[in-house]
Amino acid sequence: MKKKITLKQIARELDVSISTVSKALRDSVEISEDTRQKVQAFAKLYNYRPNNIALSLKNRKTKTIGVIIPEIVHHFFSKVIRGIELVANKRGYNVIIGLSNESFDKEVINLQMLANGSIDGFILSIAKETLQQQDYHHFKETINQGMPIVMFDRIVNDIHCDKVIIDDVKGSKKAVSKLLSNGCKNVAIITTKDYVSVGKLRTQGYLEALEDYRITPDTDLILKVDDELVSEDHLESLEKEIEGLFHTNKNIDGVFAVNELYAIIAMKVARNLGMKIPDEIQFIGFTDGVLSKHATPSLTTVNQHGQDMGEKAAGLLIDNLEREAEEEQYTTIVIETELVERNSTK
Amino acid sequence: MKKKITLKQIARELDVSISTVSKALRDSVEISEDTRQKVQAFAKLYNYRPNNIALSLKNRKTKTIGVIIPEIVHHFFSKVIRGIELVANKRGYNVIIGLSNESFDKEVINLQMLANGSIDGFILSIAKETLQQQDYHHFKETINQGMPIVMFDRIVNDIHCDKVIIDDVKGSKKAVSKLLSNGCKNVAIITTKDYVSVGKLRTQGYLEALEDYRITPDTDLILKVDDELVSEDHLESLEKEIEGLFHTNKNIDGVFAVNELYAIIAMKVARNLGMKIPDEIQFIGFTDGVLSKHATPSLTTVNQHGQDMGEKAAGLLIDNLEREAEEEQYTTIVIETELVERNSTK
DNA sequence: TGTCAACACGAAAACGTTTTCGCTAAAAAT
DNA sequence: ATTTTTAGCGAAAACGTTTTCGTGTTGACA
């Protein structure tokens, strides 16, 4: 086992100084053709590679970006990561990930662990618990220390940083309008409690679409699911809730759900109740994932372009990192959503 | 914007030496109660945190583990990552990820990028292209340089390192036996080309199960799918192939697929052909993911316990990193698979 | 008064780089 | 023959830590 070789060792071996070795390897004109070749040959032989940590320390940048997401076993988030990784690597950066597991504490810890020099900047999406507690001091502090942050998807407005979001209102409006223009008269929405920013916005889009069609919203048709229900195996209670929705509102002929899973489960409940999809009832879900594509019937969805979001976020961050001037000009990129029509709608 | 503060700055500000500050912060007995309090108060005020990079350089370890996986938008791999992240964080390590995208070159590049001091050890699953080319010199070199590697799932036997695998043969044998004991007489398998190690092993398990039941394997019932087919939207041709399988073998009453997607698609084709699941034909897929759980009918699967694999892998690696002695004793952990029975089998 | 611990602190090395500056010797210019 | 230039190389600082090894000052004790 030959340990990694260092400049010092090469220098000693070749009986020159460390500086000479360093310069020779970087093809400096200061070094004679002779020694340059000698050093380079030796370095290649021993497979020399400069130590990244030493470089990071010297240059005071790590060429690494930290990503903190609430959950990784999740189609959307893993797509975002893929996007981030893609452009990060292309531009010579590594990606280090932290999972908050939707917990405030873990988010704070992750932020602190990485902010101590390990990375050059953050890309993150806020944990639910954090959104609920509305405590954002850790983000502010991090930014204050000169560490740039790019937020995506789950953001909060009063934090000053770059952001990549989709137009949730517009996206869900598009979806609900589709249902309405397809002839649905009684469209229900399955959404989350309001503290989840995207849930709230998507509910708003639902309401706006109804307004466009001059339909008075019926609160009975708005099902706000408590998120605890979805954690692991409480899915049955979610089913029960949706069943209740269908029972008390026999006339529902369209359902818009703020995520894929809610939509799939709703479809399942409807099917079990003997409703024909899409003839008697139509479904659209937010977020396009594997489930939608391979469900039966396949689910019409609002595609968030997760990978694109990741790419854009990484682009913003790296641009910021490599910008000379210190203009504190923050951008918010809005990614267009796209309605992916499948067989759950007419 | 107050930049991160260093020991040197604290020292200058308090008019003591750097060493004093360092010791004071670490509660050294060398330092008087007075100065200790003074320094600690100042440090807290300015929110001092030791620079990780400097520590890494000094200690010659980064407390970071590198993970290289072929793909992240993938239920199994993201579960593994979650497991890795879980125990890594618990034991004070960070996780940095690289995606090979199933490409040999990207795998090599990732390995090299991270091996230069950025991390203390690797956890990885081999890219398909690498398996195909059977070129493993980059792994060997990395290990040779003293960088430990733990391989999981897609491994190769003649590399000397820790491994975490499942017993693919046993797992698929279990699945196929289930089909046979459920009364299936003609069980088909949908598998991959042989260079994918797990595909090969799962095929072997299939054959062994048949043998146990004294059934002569029928090559017509073995469909080896070329992986190119599955990349993105070539799914239709996969459907066609499966359709062909059913057409030329009208008597198929059981299907075992080496992954979730193949199984789901096969079910879809069968349903379109008017077969009743599970009455006329039963299905089992390898790898338990979201699709299986929420498909209709829900799919019986062989659960690989991805998160568990990740946890075990991280445990192995960190144990190795923190072990004093240099005993080159490599372990292979075999994770038990579990048959998750759902509605696609009787 | 002189010796010795105990106490409190600082200097410096080390981790592995890159880079600035200086130095020496030879070559060129005067 | 003397000065200037230039080529080729090395010393040292810097990045931010931790830690070992001094070193000076005190107080106690003989």
Side-chain angles (χ1 to χ4, degrees):
Chain A
M1 183 177 76
K2 41 179 182 181
K3 274 273 177 197
K4 296 236 57 164
I5 199 171
T6 69
L7 285 187
K8 192 192 276 193
Q9 294 170 46
I10 300 183
R12 196 181 320 150
E13 213 67 35
L14 260 46
D15 209 38
V16 289
S17 78
I18 296 182
S19 3
T20 303
V21 177
S22 176
K23 289 171 190 164
L25 290 175
R26 331 198 91 240
D27 279 324
S28 159
V29 288
E30 286 184 57
I31 306 299
S32 73
E33 188 60 26
D34 247 27
T35 30
R36 213 188 306 172
Q37 300 220 340
K38 198 173 55 179
V39 170
Q40 296 192 356
F42 193 91
K44 172 164 272 173
L45 178 63
Y46 281 86
N47 197 28
Y48 170 80
R49 300 255 183 273
N51 181 305
N52 242 317
I53 296 292
L55 285 178
S56 294
L57 184 58
K58 177 139 191 54
N59 302 329
R60 268 160 324 148
K61 52 185 161 189
T62 61
K63 287 277 190 176
T64 303
I65 75 192
V67 178
I68 300 181
I69 52 173
E71 173 58 272
I72 197 172
V73 187
H74 193 296
H75 195 261
F76 172 66
F77 286 122
S78 47
K79 279 219 155 192
V80 174
I81 294 228
R82 187 209 260 162
I84 294 174
E85 221 264 348
L86 194 75
V87 338
N89 274 18
K90 192 176 296 166
R91 299 181 67 171
Y93 283 74
N94 278 320
V95 176
I96 184 166
I97 65 161
L99 306 182
S100 68
N101 272 320
E102 305 285 12
S103 137
F104 174 77
D105 288 337
K106 272 213 72 183
E107 187 173 270
V108 174
I109 290 176
N110 262 308
L111 216 66
Q112 288 179 344
M113 290 250 317
L114 298 180
N116 302 325
S118 302
I119 60 159
D120 295 341
F122 279 109
I123 296 178
L124 57 84
S125 194
I126 307 179
K128 276 183 192 152
E129 203 184 357
T130 309
L131 289 170
Q132 206 165 3
Q133 300 181 200
Q134 301 190 34
D135 183 350
Y136 309 124
H137 75 277
H138 49 310
F139 299 136
K140 290 182 180 163
E141 273 173 19
T142 309
I143 294 174
N144 240 319
Q145 290 183 353
M147 173 84 62
I149 293 185
V150 178
M151 295 193 174
F152 71 91
D153 198 50
R154 300 208 210 135
I155 65 157
V156 61
N157 279 322
D158 57 322
I159 295 214
H160 233 225
C161 65
D162 287 326
K163 287 159 193 154
V164 181
I165 52 172
I166 55 165
D167 191 334
D168 283 286
V169 179
K170 198 164 149 194
S172 63
K173 192 171 166 182
K174 212 187 286 185
V176 177
S177 300
K178 173 73 185 172
L179 289 173
L180 294 172
S181 80
N182 271 8
C184 295
K185 300 296 175 199
N186 298 284
V187 177
I189 179 174
I190 305 177
T191 181
T192 58
K193 302 278 183 198
D194 276 348
Y195 67 82
V196 183
S197 58
V198 295
K200 186 172 179 181
L201 292 172
R202 289 169 195 174
T203 308
Q204 187 188 328
Y206 164 79
L207 294 174
E208 287 186 11
L210 290 186
E211 197 180 336
D212 274 7
Y213 278 75
R214 317 221 179 285
I215 299 178
T216 332
D218 178 353
T219 51
D220 271 6
L221 293 181
I222 302 180
L223 178 59
K224 292 196 181 179
V225 176
D226 196 351
D227 240 38
E228 312 304 320
L229 289 180
V230 193
S231 63
E232 286 309 308
D233 286 300
H234 295 131
L235 288 180
E236 300 83 25
S237 36
L238 177 57
E239 283 187 34
K240 286 272 173 289
E241 279 212 64
I242 296 177
E243 231 176 282
L245 177 72
F246 284 143
H247 270 300
T248 49
N249 304 277
K250 302 280 185 193
N251 51 3
I252 293 180
D253 53 4
V255 173
F256 170 63
V258 298
N259 61 46
E260 185 180 54
L261 188 56
Y262 290 4
I264 296 286
I265 293 181
M267 279 212 296
K268 183 169 155 197
V269 172
R271 205 178 327 100
N272 287 345
L273 291 177
M275 311 186 190
K276 296 275 172 276
I277 309 170
D279 298 326
E280 297 170 20
I281 184 169
Q282 302 180 47
F283 288 84
I284 298 185
F286 216 103
T287 306
D288 188 48
V290 267
L291 277 179
S292 310
K293 198 169 182 176
H294 297 290
T296 31
S298 56
L299 180 67
T300 295
T301 59
V302 179
N303 187 349
Q304 287 181 89
H305 298 296
Q307 178 164 347
D308 197 26
M309 286 187 85
E311 292 176 20
K312 292 280 198 309
L316 272 182
L317 182 61
I318 299 178
D319 283 350
N320 185 345
L321 290 174
E322 299 185 344
R323 184 165 38 221
E324 298 296 323
E326 283 285 324
E327 351 120 18
E328 302 267 325
Q329 193 65 300
Y330 293 118
T331 332
T332 294
I333 296 184
V334 180
I335 307 266
E336 275 304 306
T337 57
E338 176 199 13
L339 202 63
V340 181
E341 296 192 38
R342 298 211 181 84
N343 300 326
S344 65
T345 49
K346 287 193 215 174
Chain B
M1 182 178 76
K2 41 180 182 181
K3 274 272 178 199
K4 296 235 58 163
I5 199 170
T6 70
L7 286 187
K8 192 192 276 191
Q9 294 170 47
I10 300 183
R12 195 182 319 149
E13 214 67 34
L14 261 47
D15 209 38
V16 291
S17 79
I18 296 182
S19 1
T20 303
V21 178
S22 176
K23 288 172 190 164
L25 290 176
R26 328 197 93 243
D27 280 324
S28 161
V29 288
E30 285 185 55
I31 306 299
S32 70
E33 190 60 27
D34 245 27
T35 30
R36 214 188 306 172
Q37 299 221 341
K38 197 173 58 177
V39 171
Q40 294 193 356
F42 192 91
K44 174 164 271 175
L45 178 64
Y46 281 87
N47 196 29
Y48 169 80
R49 300 257 181 272
N51 181 306
N52 242 319
I53 296 293
L55 285 178
S56 295
L57 183 59
K58 177 138 191 52
N59 302 330
R60 265 121 108 231
K61 53 185 158 188
T62 61
K63 289 277 190 175
T64 303
I65 75 191
V67 177
I68 301 182
I69 52 173
E71 172 60 90
I72 196 171
V73 187
H74 193 296
H75 195 262
F76 172 66
F77 285 123
S78 46
K79 279 217 157 196
V80 175
I81 294 227
R82 187 210 259 163
I84 294 174
E85 222 262 350
L86 193 77
V87 338
N89 273 20
K90 191 177 298 168
R91 298 181 66 171
Y93 283 74
N94 278 319
V95 176
I96 182 166
I97 66 160
L99 307 180
S100 68
N101 271 321
E102 305 285 11
S103 137
F104 174 78
D105 288 338
K106 271 213 73 181
E107 186 173 271
V108 173
I109 290 176
N110 261 309
L111 218 66
Q112 288 179 343
M113 289 248 319
L114 298 180
N116 300 323
S118 304
I119 61 160
D120 294 341
F122 279 109
I123 296 178
L124 56 84
S125 192
I126 307 179
K128 275 182 191 152
E129 202 185 357
T130 309
L131 288 168
Q132 206 166 5
Q133 299 180 199
Q134 302 189 32
D135 182 349
Y136 309 124
H137 76 277
H138 49 308
F139 300 135
K140 291 182 179 162
E141 274 174 19
T142 308
I143 294 173
N144 240 317
Q145 290 183 352
M147 174 85 61
I149 293 185
V150 177
M151 295 194 174
F152 71 91
D153 197 51
R154 300 207 211 136
I155 65 157
V156 60
N157 278 322
D158 57 320
I159 295 216
H160 232 228
C161 64
D162 288 325
K163 287 159 193 151
V164 181
I165 52 172
I166 55 165
D167 191 334
D168 284 286
V169 179
K170 197 164 150 195
S172 63
K173 192 171 167 182
K174 211 186 289 184
V176 176
S177 300
K178 172 74 186 172
L179 289 174
L180 294 171
S181 80
N182 270 7
C184 295
K185 299 295 175 200
N186 298 283
V187 177
I189 179 174
I190 305 176
T191 181
T192 59
K193 301 279 184 198
D194 275 348
Y195 66 83
V196 182
S197 57
V198 294
K200 187 174 180 180
L201 292 172
R202 291 169 196 174
T203 308
Q204 188 187 325
Y206 164 79
L207 294 173
E208 288 186 11
L210 291 186
E211 199 180 334
D212 274 7
Y213 278 75
R214 317 221 180 286
I215 299 177
T216 332
D218 176 356
T219 50
D220 272 5
L221 292 181
I222 302 180
L223 179 58
K224 293 195 182 178
V225 177
D226 196 351
D227 239 38
E228 312 304 320
L229 290 181
V230 193
S231 62
E232 286 310 309
D233 287 300
H234 295 132
L235 289 180
E236 301 82 25
S237 35
L238 176 56
E239 283 186 35
K240 287 271 173 290
E241 279 211 65
I242 296 177
E243 229 175 284
L245 177 70
F246 285 142
H247 270 299
T248 50
N249 303 279
K250 301 283 186 191
N251 52 2
I252 293 179
D253 53 5
V255 173
F256 170 63
V258 297
N259 61 49
E260 182 180 56
L261 188 56
Y262 290 3
I264 296 285
I265 293 182
M267 280 212 296
K268 182 169 154 197
V269 171
R271 206 178 325 104
N272 287 345
L273 291 176
M275 309 186 192
K276 296 275 173 275
I277 309 171
D279 298 327
E280 299 170 20
I281 184 169
Q282 302 179 47
F283 288 85
I284 299 185
F286 216 104
T287 306
D288 187 50
V290 266
L291 277 180
S292 310
K293 195 169 186 177
H294 298 289
T296 32
S298 56
L299 180 67
T300 296
T301 59
V302 179
N303 187 350
Q304 286 182 87
H305 298 296
Q307 177 165 345
D308 197 27
M309 288 187 83
E311 292 175 19
K312 292 280 198 307
L316 273 181
L317 181 61
I318 298 178
D319 284 349
N320 186 346
L321 290 175
E322 300 186 344
R323 183 163 41 218
E324 298 296 323
E326 285 285 325
E327 350 120 17
E328 304 265 326
Q329 192 68 299
Y330 294 118
T331 331
T332 295
I333 296 184
V334 180
I335 306 267
E336 276 304 305
T337 57
E338 175 200 14
L339 202 61
V340 181
E341 295 193 39
R342 298 211 182 83
N343 300 325
S344 65
T345 49
K346 285 190 219 176

